[in-house]
Amino acid sequence: MADSKDFNPADSIQDLQYFGEFGGVNPSISDSSTYTFLSAKTMFDTFEGNAEGCYLYSRHSSPSNLYLGEALAAMEGTETANVAATGMGAIVPAIMQLCCAGDHVVSSRTIYGGTYAYLKNFAPRLNINTAFVDITDIDKVEAAITENTKVIFCETVSNPLLEVADIAELSKLAKKHGIKLLVDNTFSPLSVSPAKFGADVVLHSLTKFINGSSDTMGGVMCGTQEFINELRSVNDGASMLMGASMDSMRAASILKNMRTLHIRVKQHSKNAMYLAEKFQKDGLKTVYPGLASHPSHEKFKKMMNAEYGYGGMLTVDVGSLDKANELMELMQERNLGYLAVSLGFYKTLFSAPGTSTSSEISEEEQAEMGLTDGLIRFSIGLDNNIERTYDMMRACMVKVGIL
């Protein structure tokens, strides 16, 4: 796991150099679902997990998927990584590999709606239960741990309230109780390196910032070689047996997009910081980890790889769902972005999480965690002239009576 103070995720990606089959500057794409063996013994050894460098079947792995996994492991500073077809295709097997019937999970109360729905509604069918807590309160996290707890699950920056987890403290707690810390780092690639602070497994939805062009789905679990081998085991590996495997063409496409990730993250962060400061100055209730008003601003600052900024996600509370919808429709009409879920696109995306990406969470629980009707989640794009964007957004806010 990463532990060096000099660790720079973009340098680690930069230093990876692959050659294609015919000397191409991009690695060749392995467009095969199954692989041949020159001897029957090698096939047997590969099934047993003892034949390094041999490929068996693309649900297990493929050269293209391994190239992408290596790049993501380099980025997160872990020994290795395993890619999946979607973010949930990484999150669910990672939890399932660590939990059996009767086991228990402690999770942040604010997480991606799909993860929440899995832990709250589906995992109990397998007799795996979850306590949802305020992840920023370490005492509450510890109080929720039972003798059956196997996993603490959190997001570095939570969806959609942008609460920041103290990964170093959570890691200490996990080690004290002999459990694993799983961190979803989807909102903060490059900006924060969770493995550096003791996360056992780092997860991403590659669909978002890492791919960056909203044209494919993908997921990854980054961790130790031992854990990834367990996930890929043909006998009892959750990734292998649950079947959420990435297509080689998509793996090659995401790997190419990773080469510009550092440039994109810097621009997302720069633009989000500019808008957050402006919105706050206008008197709007604005949440962004880069603002001194954010309750975890100092915590994020302590963890961050400074040059990549505070990320591209911010929220603004405009008071009511009607106002939120009116504003988002007008901004879309004026080409300021799209009324759409997801994040990390080169255009700004906006949605009201209470009725979209967090709709799996009941209204009572939304109210309890502070997820209000009027909250708009912005994934800020790569706009070249962010001052112009702000002027246009402000004009929309004035027109609908928010300002």
Side-chain angles (χ1 to χ4, degrees), residues 50-312:
N50 301 324
E52 188 70 31
C54 290
Y55 298 95
L56 176 68
Y57 183 56
S58 282
R59 176 156 51 84
H60 182 253
S61 194
S62 72
S64 297
N65 289 14
L66 282 178
Y67 285 133
L68 177 58
E70 278 180 20
L72 290 158
M75 179 186 84
E76 287 297 359
T78 62
E79 287 177 6
T80 191
N82 189 54
V83 295
T86 67
M88 289 302 292
I91 290 165
V92 172
I95 295 168
M96 294 298 293
Q97 195 64 42
L98 296 167
C99 294
C100 300
D103 287 342
H104 181 255
V105 175
V106 175
S107 169
S108 170
R109 62 184 181 171
T110 63
I111 48 174
Y112 169 59
T115 314
Y116 179 88
Y118 169 71
L119 290 172
K120 176 86 174 176
N121 304 326
F122 196 94
R125 290 158 59 174
L126 310 171
N127 196 20
I128 297 167
N129 293 295
T130 301
F132 295 95
V133 298
D134 178 353
I135 206 71
T136 64
D137 188 329
I138 295 294
D139 291 339
K140 282 185 180 166
V141 178
E142 183 156 31
I145 294 171
T146 74
E147 60 183 14
N148 296 322
T149 304
K150 294 292 188 290
V151 165
I152 297 174
F153 185 94
C154 69
E155 296 172 347
T156 308
V157 180
S158 79
N159 183 2
L161 297 184
L162 309 184
E163 291 178 341
V164 177
D166 189 330
I167 297 165
E169 286 301 312
L170 290 167
S171 171
K172 275 187 213 162
L173 194 57
K175 284 175 176 55
K176 175 182 168 185
H177 291 274
I179 57 185
K180 298 295 184 188
L181 174 62
L182 273 59
V183 180
D184 183 339
N185 201 33
T186 299
F187 273 30
S188 41
L190 303 188
S191 294
V192 180
S193 304
K196 195 163 79 169
F197 301 100
D200 294 292
V201 182
V202 183
L203 301 151
H204 282 273
S205 168
L206 304 177
T207 314
K208 315 303 193 308
F209 287 106
I210 288 173
N211 184 53
S213 47
S214 288
D215 59 356
T216 188
M217 295 182 292
V220 69
M221 45 287 255
C222 306
T224 61
Q225 187 70 57
E226 182 185 15
F227 181 63
I228 300 305
N229 285 349
E230 287 169 5
L231 281 165
R232 286 186 186 140
S233 166
V234 296
N235 296 314
D236 58 5
S239 285
M240 182 64 177
L241 299 175
M242 294 173 84
S245 309
M246 179 172 275
D247 177 75
S248 291
M249 298 285 194
R250 285 310 193 183
S253 167
I254 295 169
L255 180 60
K256 282 184 277 229
N257 284 356
M258 275 191 76
R259 301 301 188 178
T260 62
L261 181 61
H262 60 294
I263 301 167
R264 291 185 282 112
V265 166
K266 288 177 189 181
Q267 190 70 15
H268 284 301
S269 292
K270 174 175 170 275
N271 287 351
M273 188 78 202
Y274 181 87
L275 290 177
E277 286 177 339
K278 287 288 193 181
F279 291 156
Q280 183 170 260
K281 205 170 171 188
D282 284 333
L284 293 166
K285 191 177 172 190
T286 308
V287 177
Y288 181 64
L291 296 173
S293 59
H294 190 290
S296 298
H297 172 68
E298 290 302 323
K299 193 195 297 175
F300 192 107
K301 203 171 171 181
K302 207 190 296 181
M303 289 195 296
M304 75 191 287
N305 299 311
E307 67 185 287
Y308 305 105
Y310 294 89

